[in-house]
Amino acid sequence: ILDTKKWKKYLFGEIFDIEKGFYNNKPEQDEKEKIPFISASEYNNGVTDYVNKSDTKIFQKNAITVVNDGNSMARAFYQERDFTCSHSVNILRIKKVFKKDMTENVAMFLNTVIYRERDRFSYGRKWRIERMLKTPIKLPVKDGQPDWQFMEDYIRNIKNKINYPDKKPVINKKFELNVNDWRYFDLTDLFDVSASRDELMEELTPNGSTPYVTSSDSNNGITSFVEEDPTNPAGTITANRGGSVGYFF
């Protein structure tokens, strides 16, 4: 456990240059010019797709992206390559006055500290730039400045203790379906479709055993577990009608 008693409290605006994400619809997919599309997700480093890098704003690599809205509020990720993103993300870079480049290890340390601020914000109180600039953040210090080397070494020491699994793909070839004999159906011809109940997480009791499904693009749509009884039976397909529209689980 880290002893934070001697850490210093700053404001985000004193440590980071912060950019707004790009207010746009998700660009078209492109197999040749792939670039990560970062959105309000807590998984896969925030990447929800790979898209065409033309017709969108490109953000430079070596930055931290922070979700500013929705159920993934305050999830922070280090981006090691150029990317584009939605307006549900803020982009953070260390201020030039510190003469410190963002590294993966420093970013991983900062990401954890940033995520601790999640309880200050909610769907009705988004973490847009105006609020983020004035939000406090507590960091280790040395000689009156953020101790970047401590952050670097702390994460490096953790990594050295991890036995990483083999990253070889399980399947290394593509399988194609022959759809020549397929036909279109209306969904209502195949399924009984019903709307979900619009219950906010704030109205429910966390830390239960009932899956709470929202318009997420990952983790089977589950963003939490609550104590309330299920409102839908097992064996159901959920379809996102907002947020990550078009995802089915």
Side-chain angles (χ1 to χ4, degrees):
I1 299 176
L2 280 173
D3 183 1
T4 64
K5 293 179 181 178
K6 295 182 180 180
W7 289 19
K8 181 178 178 180
K9 186 178 290 187
Y10 296 91
L11 298 179
F12 270 72
E14 296 175 316
I15 300 298
F16 303 107
D17 288 323
I18 307 175
E19 289 183 84
K20 293 181 180 179
F22 189 48
Y23 194 94
N24 66 349
N25 293 321
K26 188 167 68 174
E28 294 183 1
Q29 293 182 329
D30 190 306
E31 292 297 321
K32 296 180 180 179
E33 296 186 78
K34 289 184 176 181
I35 189 169
F37 179 79
I38 315 298
S39 189
S41 173
E42 59 184 305
Y43 303 102
N44 198 33
N45 213 55
V47 179
T48 57
D49 213 335
Y50 288 85
V51 299
N52 191 334
K53 63 183 180 180
S54 61
D55 304 323
T56 190
K57 181 176 181 179
I58 305 300
F59 295 89
Q60 298 298 308
K61 61 184 179 180
N62 296 330
I64 291 175
T65 55
V66 183
V67 177
N68 62 37
D69 188 12
N71 293 305
S72 302
M73 183 79 71
R75 288 290 183 180
F77 300 101
Y78 172 66
Q79 305 302 333
E80 64 179 0
R81 55 179 291 193
D82 293 350
F83 62 95
T84 188
C85 64
S86 74
H87 67 285
S88 296
V89 170
N90 295 339
I91 300 95
L92 280 59
R93 304 179 192 279
I94 298 172
K95 281 186 169 293
K96 293 180 180 180
V97 67
F98 294 113
K99 298 180 180 179
K100 170 62 182 177
D101 293 329
M102 184 81 76
T103 66
E104 181 180 25
N105 288 344
V106 168
M108 291 178 69
F109 188 99
L110 292 171
N111 291 349
T112 303
V113 177
I114 291 169
Y115 185 60
R116 292 174 64 88
E117 302 299 320
R118 66 192 182 280
D119 293 334
R120 295 173 180 264
F121 305 95
S122 64
Y123 182 81
R125 180 178 165 79
K126 305 180 193 302
W127 206 8
R128 302 297 195 205
I129 287 182
E130 294 75 16
R131 285 198 176 106
M132 180 173 276
L133 288 168
K134 300 176 183 178
T135 301
I137 181 171
K138 199 173 182 182
L139 297 173
V141 292
K142 183 177 182 180
D143 300 327
Q145 297 290 321
D147 193 346
W148 307 112
Q149 192 60 51
F150 173 84
M151 302 180 208
E152 182 81 34
D153 294 342
Y154 185 83
I155 297 299
R156 182 184 295 111
N157 290 336
I158 291 176
K159 286 182 175 180
N160 289 338
K161 298 176 183 178
I162 298 174
N163 292 320
Y164 291 98
D166 190 349
K167 295 183 178 180
K168 293 182 180 179
V170 177
I171 299 175
N172 57 11
K173 65 178 182 178
K174 292 184 178 180
F175 293 89
E176 295 186 3
L177 283 173
N178 184 353
V179 299
N180 292 333
D181 295 328
W182 292 22
R183 56 164 289 197
Y184 284 102
F185 293 87
D186 289 332
L187 288 178
T188 51
D189 291 337
L190 302 176
F191 304 103
D192 291 325
V193 181
S194 60
S196 61
R197 293 167 55 181
D198 291 326
E199 291 183 298
L200 297 177
M201 186 62 199
E202 290 82 355
E203 301 171 354
L204 302 174
T205 310
N207 302 320
S209 59
T210 301
Y212 178 66
V213 178
T214 65
S215 55
S216 171
D217 60 359
S218 308
N219 199 36
N220 214 47
I222 299 170
T223 55
S224 186
F225 287 86
V226 299
E227 293 186 2
E228 281 71 16
D229 292 332
T231 57
N232 293 282
T236 299
I237 294 176
T238 57
N240 292 350
R241 64 176 194 259
S244 299
V245 176
Y247 281 85
F248 291 75
F249 298 102

